[in-house]
Amino acid sequence: MPVGGRMRPILPSTLPWLRKGVLRPSTPRAFSNHIIKSPSLLSLDLADSWSSVSTQYDCLPSVNVVSSSPCLCTARNLTGKIIDGKAIANRITSGIALEVKSMEKLVRKVPGLAVIIVGQRRDSQTYVRNKMIACKEVGMKFKMITLAEDCSESEVCKALHQFNGDPSIHGIIVQLPLPQNLDEAKILNNISLEKDVDGFHPLNIGNLTMQGVEPLFISCTPKGCIELLLQSGIDIMGKNAVVIGKSNIVGLPAALLLQRHHATVTILHPFTRNPEHICREADILIAAAGVPNLVRGSWLKPGAVVVDVGTNPVEDGSSEHGYHLVGDVCFEEAAGIASAITPVPGGVGPMTVAMLLYNTFESAKRAFKLK
């Protein structure tokens, strides 16, 4: 709520479900906390004591660079570990499916996700269809409202208010991007905070910045990136992390989340000078610029871990769809230098959907007052 022109953070005294231990199981059976590895952000909070800095956080182990040539695209010498996002996401969604079954047995209800899509963008329709299929696979309820490209903001907000008041819906997302005639920030602010499973509400983003508090929901793609690192046994604390891109959807929350995990974080954007030099200092690189093959092998430090968020369609006459997807990182070059790398597709994408399901499940647990 605005106070003196500023947004007041959500504090434990303001919202009771943020207080540790306030949620009690209302049934004999408590739910598992082991679906994902990401800990509570509150458990990560440490005092800023510079005197305690030590040398225990060594750089990531280096790998032998296959070639000194600036371009490895034709070499196909892939020495880095491939982080299989699809396999990790499948393990997470399998765990969610089991918990949803338990929830249905205990309270005779299941989590519900609602999506509002505006216009007929093919990529948006594909993303929404994937979310619908994922909900069905884990046993969640799914509802959708489709609005015309030229609809008004009031029509979108009316649909949002409908889902805000629907007790069977625990998560609401507005599929982005929206047409240019619509005010994205204004529309997202109309999503109930308790159902903002995309984590885009200003209060959820704001609480990500502050020690001592945590958001109700963390944005799904950044959360998926961190989960990929944790599931792959990659330490974050004390590492130099570089995030390419500063969007509200990925870049900014990814940087904040890395910082909460005690990485030393640098954000690159189109006005950054010497981005290649800065990237070569990164132990962990998250690329979310939306530019095909922006990051070349020469940008990477040997042994770096690379998380490629980019999903860029490139024309391909040999493909049945007329295009194929490439990331922001030149995979063939990077895989010969990085110690671990996510592929495109099959890396971050499946994790984004898995984190959306996880957030929706957590929202339902909160609504049903289950531990």
Side-chain angles (χ1 to χ4, degrees):
M1 175 175 302
V3 179
R6 297 184 179 181
M7 299 300 291
R8 177 186 294 171
I10 301 177
L11 299 174
S13 59
T14 308
L15 293 179
W17 54 78
L18 289 180
R19 290 202 297 267
K20 185 177 180 181
V22 87
L23 293 182
R24 303 271 197 284
S26 59
T27 64
R29 194 259 192 201
F31 285 86
S32 170
N33 291 321
H34 303 295
I35 297 176
I36 65 175
K37 288 185 177 289
S38 298
S40 162
L41 295 184
L42 293 178
S43 70
L44 296 173
D45 288 347
L46 297 174
D48 284 342
S49 175
W50 289 95
S51 62
S52 66
V53 174
S54 71
T55 59
Q56 62 179 308
Y57 309 121
D58 297 326
C59 292
L60 293 173
S62 61
V63 296
N64 293 325
V65 180
V66 177
S67 169
S68 59
S69 168
C71 179
L72 302 175
C73 272
T74 58
R76 294 284 173 177
N77 291 313
L78 307 183
T79 60
K81 170 187 174 184
I82 306 302
I83 300 176
D84 190 343
K86 187 174 182 180
I88 295 172
N90 285 342
R91 290 200 298 269
I92 292 171
T93 53
S94 295
I96 294 171
L98 291 174
E99 299 294 347
V100 168
K101 287 182 179 178
S102 297
M103 178 179 285
E104 187 173 19
K105 289 179 181 178
L106 291 168
V107 299
R108 308 297 181 189
K109 296 175 183 178
V110 298
L113 176 67
V115 176
I116 296 172
I117 183 171
V118 180
Q120 300 294 321
R121 284 180 59 115
R122 285 194 300 172
D123 56 346
S124 291
Q125 291 175 332
T126 299
Y127 296 145
V128 170
R129 184 167 58 252
N130 290 342
K131 291 165 186 171
M132 179 177 64
I133 293 171
C135 282
K136 182 178 180 181
E137 288 176 346
V138 300
M140 289 186 183
K141 181 181 295 186
F142 182 88
K143 292 184 179 181
M144 180 173 68
I145 291 179
T146 303
L147 299 173
E149 181 90 15
D150 60 353
C151 71
S152 65
E153 287 178 10
S154 62
E155 289 178 276
V156 182
C157 290
K158 181 180 178 181
L160 279 175
H161 293 152
Q162 176 182 328
F163 288 138
N164 282 342
D166 186 342
S168 71
I169 294 299
H170 307 95
I172 303 170
I173 63 173
V174 176
Q175 185 63 44
L176 302 177
L178 292 171
Q180 292 185 352
N181 63 301
L182 299 177
D183 186 334
E184 182 177 294
K186 179 180 176 181
I187 287 171
L188 294 179
N189 283 349
N190 276 272
I191 298 177
S192 168
L193 181 64
E194 294 84 356
K195 299 184 180 185
D196 175 39
V197 289
D198 250 344
F200 294 156
H201 193 286
L203 288 175
N204 276 323
I205 294 292
N207 275 4
L208 195 54
T209 70
M210 300 177 63
Q211 290 197 44
V213 293
E214 60 182 344
L216 288 179
F217 304 103
I218 298 171
S219 300
C220 299
T221 299
K223 185 172 183 173
C225 292
I226 297 299
E227 188 65 23
L228 281 174
L229 297 175
L230 297 177
Q231 294 266 357
S232 301
I234 296 165
D235 292 330
I236 301 173
M237 180 180 284
K239 299 297 171 61
N240 289 327
V242 170
V243 178
I244 304 178
K246 58 174 184 174
S247 71
N248 292 337
I249 297 175
V250 181
L252 176 61
L256 294 172
L257 199 50
L258 284 165
Q259 186 171 280
R260 290 293 291 263
H261 282 261
H262 307 291
T264 302
V265 184
T266 303
I267 300 177
L268 305 190
H269 50 75
F271 302 102
T272 300
R273 296 179 181 180
N274 301 318
E276 181 176 345
H277 173 74
I278 296 171
C279 283
R280 278 199 296 267
E281 299 297 318
D283 302 312
I284 298 171
L285 176 72
I286 296 181
V291 180
N293 294 323
L294 171 68
V295 178
R296 313 302 297 229
S298 62
W299 288 40
L300 301 176
K301 177 171 79 172
V305 174
V306 179
V307 179
D308 192 349
V309 181
T311 50
N312 308 289
V314 174
E315 289 188 14
D316 182 357
S318 64
S319 170
E320 62 174 299
H321 302 292
Y323 68 90
H324 69 274
L325 295 177
V326 300
D328 290 354
V329 179
C330 181
F331 180 82
E332 288 82 0
E333 290 184 12
I337 299 171
S339 62
I341 185 171
T342 62
V344 176
V348 175
M351 289 297 293
T352 298
V353 177
M355 294 300 99
L356 175 63
L357 297 176
Y358 182 81
N359 282 353
T360 304
F361 173 70
E362 289 294 303
S363 179
K365 283 205 303 183
R366 211 175 278 132
F368 300 147
K369 294 182 172 55
L370 299 170
K371 184 176 180 181

